[in-house]
Amino acid sequence: MENRQVVLIKQSDYSSDSLLCSIRKAIELTSFDLTRVGGATVLLKPNLVTAHRPEEAVTTHPAFVAAVGRVFREAGAEVWVGDCPMGDISFEDVLTATGVGAACREAGLILRDFRTAGVVSRQGFPLSKVIADADFVINLPKFKTHLFTMMTLSVKNLFGCVESNKRADYHRISPRLFSFSETLVKIAEVIAPDLNLVDGIVAMDGYGPTLGDPFPLSAIVASRNIHASDWAACTLIGLNPLHLETLRAAVRLGVWNYSDSVRLTGDPIESMRSIDFTVPYEIDRSWFFQFAKQWWHNRLSPQPQIDRQQCKRCGLCFRSCPAGAIVLNKENFPRLLNRRCIKCYCCTEVCPHHAVLLNEGLLRRVAAWFSH
Ligand code: SF4
Ligand code: SF4
């Protein structure tokens, strides 16, 4: 029978002793059998998308990754930690900035750069070979908002397992949320992680994935079912789970049935639930607006803009744009070609200097005014 259990554990900080206890408790309550990993290789897949400091709440916290690693090492596994950052940001730079490199080395975990490990094809998806080589995959997403997909949780986190230079192709082929979400769900189903542990101790709300604010949610979300994990995460912040397009895509693809309830265990949801958590744009919670966006995605999505004062002319956004919508001028300042932009927000995600801002646009403002 399908396991639809989700464990919620209240944890307010990243202090090592209490975090280790909470992680142990979360894994135990999911009924994941730790005796199975003795002598096996276990891959931890955190969110290491860009080079941001841990306190910015963009990436999975180093103490969280290390604590999960310690639990699996104690159970006798060889533990790997891997990801592939966006664009051409180096894995080593991300490990340094996020603190994950130092934390993992101290905990005796082995770091695996997906980009250099080779690629295997799984049901047509080019995935890092590390995924295929590991006996177990443990998904460690950061709990945060996302301008394009509204939230980035367990399903979305696995997009980082796709070969880096092919990710832009998926954005280009499926520029709309409807089809892109189906791609994300298919990738998640192919990888089928054995366990999902979401770092929601300090989450990010507002304009995620990088322009939002750290939000003390004090929650660890654990589940062996990836869709149940995302469902519970939405419930935790008072978001209708069916406003999350990846969950709707899972229903359309027949891998998730929302009529069966998710079983919440662990600490009571009321002890950590936050009604103050904001998604990128409140108007995006409206069914009508979501429907309209399927058709007028470009017009109804905010337009990225370069803040020249903040821009350090590193060119990362130019090299990461899947649509060729960013060009560099003679002084190496990026310029956006609005007509080409598919509103994927990779540029905001990749910019290390918060120099890509957002303009809501007249049409959105008018729609928001009518929806009030
Ligand atoms: S906007 Fe950001 S990523 Fe783009 S060139 Fe400027 S600093 Fe670099
Ligand atoms: S300009 Fe930014 S939002 Fe537009 S397509 Fe390029 S990366 Fe995506």
Side-chain angles (χ1 to χ4, degrees):
M1 204 179 93
E2 191 184 13
N3 185 329
R4 299 174 74 97
Q5 184 202 25
V6 181
V7 178
L8 299 176
I9 300 291
K10 184 170 175 140
Q11 172 69 31
S12 311
D13 59 49
Y14 291 101
S15 85
S16 57
D17 287 348
S18 67
L19 179 57
L20 198 59
C21 291
S22 293
I23 297 278
R24 275 202 197 101
K25 185 174 164 192
I27 295 174
E28 189 187 322
L29 289 176
T30 61
S31 312
F32 181 91
D33 184 2
L34 275 173
T35 61
R36 287 165 60 213
V37 305
T41 50
V42 171
L43 169 67
L44 308 186
K45 163 60 181 85
N47 182 331
L48 296 176
V49 66
T50 60
H52 285 267
R53 288 171 289 120
E55 55 272 26
E56 292 180 86
V58 172
T59 48
T60 309
H61 197 280
F64 191 89
V65 181
V68 177
R70 283 183 202 278
V71 173
F72 281 95
R73 277 202 79 200
E74 283 166 10
E78 178 176 293
V79 182
W80 303 340
V81 177
D83 198 1
C84 178
M86 278 192 82
D88 54 7
I89 304 173
S90 86
F91 186 54
E92 207 47 56
D93 285 352
V94 173
L95 291 176
T96 304
T98 59
V100 168
C104 289
R105 286 182 192 108
E106 197 191 324
L109 316 183
I110 298 166
L111 295 159
R112 302 291 311 265
D113 183 352
F114 283 4
R115 202 175 274 135
T116 57
V119 176
V120 289
S121 178
R122 288 284 181 272
Q123 297 181 30
F125 292 108
L127 304 179
S128 168
K129 191 168 172 296
V130 183
I131 304 287
D133 290 346
D135 298 315
F136 293 86
V137 176
I138 312 298
N139 193 15
L140 304 183
K142 187 71 176 173
F143 194 124
K144 60 178 189 168
T145 50
H146 197 286
L147 287 160
F148 181 36
T149 55
M150 191 172 319
M151 298 296 299
T152 168
L153 297 165
S154 293
V155 165
K156 173 84 169 55
N157 190 47
L158 296 175
F159 193 46
C161 301
V162 174
E163 186 186 2
S164 63
N165 54 16
K166 288 286 189 298
R167 279 186 238 162
D169 292 345
Y170 288 113
H171 275 294
R172 257 194 310 274
I173 297 163
S174 309
R176 299 193 177 207
L177 188 54
F178 185 88
S179 50
F180 185 70
S181 298
E182 291 189 355
T183 301
L184 292 178
V185 170
K186 286 175 190 169
I187 291 166
E189 289 294 314
V190 169
I191 296 170
D194 298 277
L195 185 62
N196 306 278
L197 290 161
V198 188
D199 171 12
I201 298 170
V202 178
M204 173 181 277
D205 78 339
Y207 303 115
T210 52
L211 300 175
D213 302 305
F215 185 99
L217 188 61
S218 306
I220 297 171
V221 182
S223 182
R224 287 158 61 194
N225 184 314
I226 194 163
H227 304 296
S229 164
D230 283 1
W231 185 279
C234 290
T235 308
L236 189 56
I237 53 168
L239 177 69
N240 181 340
L242 286 180
H243 282 179
L244 191 68
E245 190 58 41
T246 45
L247 275 167
R248 287 214 294 258
V251 173
R252 285 197 297 278
L253 294 169
V255 295
W256 173 253
N257 181 352
Y258 62 82
S259 59
D260 298 337
S261 61
V262 168
R263 192 163 68 84
L264 297 177
T265 56
D267 294 327
I269 192 168
E270 297 75 23
S271 69
M272 59 197 90
R273 184 175 193 161
S274 174
I275 51 167
D276 298 329
F277 191 100
T278 58
V279 293
Y281 295 99
E282 287 303 310
I283 190 175
D284 290 325
R285 291 181 192 247
S286 141
W287 285 110
F288 173 75
F289 196 73
Q290 287 209 1
F291 178 75
K293 257 178 87 178
Q294 299 293 354
W295 302 100
W296 298 296
H297 168 72
N298 258 24
R299 289 185 179 203
L300 290 176
S301 300
Q303 178 65 50
Q305 282 186 337
I306 306 295
D307 178 347
R308 278 200 169 208
Q309 305 295 323
Q310 294 294 326
C311 178
K312 302 286 185 282
R313 295 184 277 181
C314 67
L316 263 175
C317 56
F318 162 71
R319 294 193 296 278
S320 305
C321 176
I326 299 178
V327 291
L328 298 180
N329 70 11
K330 283 185 197 154
E331 300 156 309
N332 279 336
F333 272 115
R335 185 166 70 84
L336 261 85
L337 307 175
N338 292 352
R339 280 172 178 251
R340 283 201 194 168
C341 176
I342 55 173
K343 313 287 170 58
C344 64
Y345 306 109
C346 293
C347 49
T348 61
E349 193 159 18
V350 83
C351 178
H353 305 291
H354 300 310
V356 185
L357 306 179
L358 299 159
N359 180 354
E360 275 225 62
L362 182 64
L363 207 54
R364 275 185 72 90
R365 291 204 296 273
V366 171
W369 189 82
F370 275 112
S371 73
H372 284 312

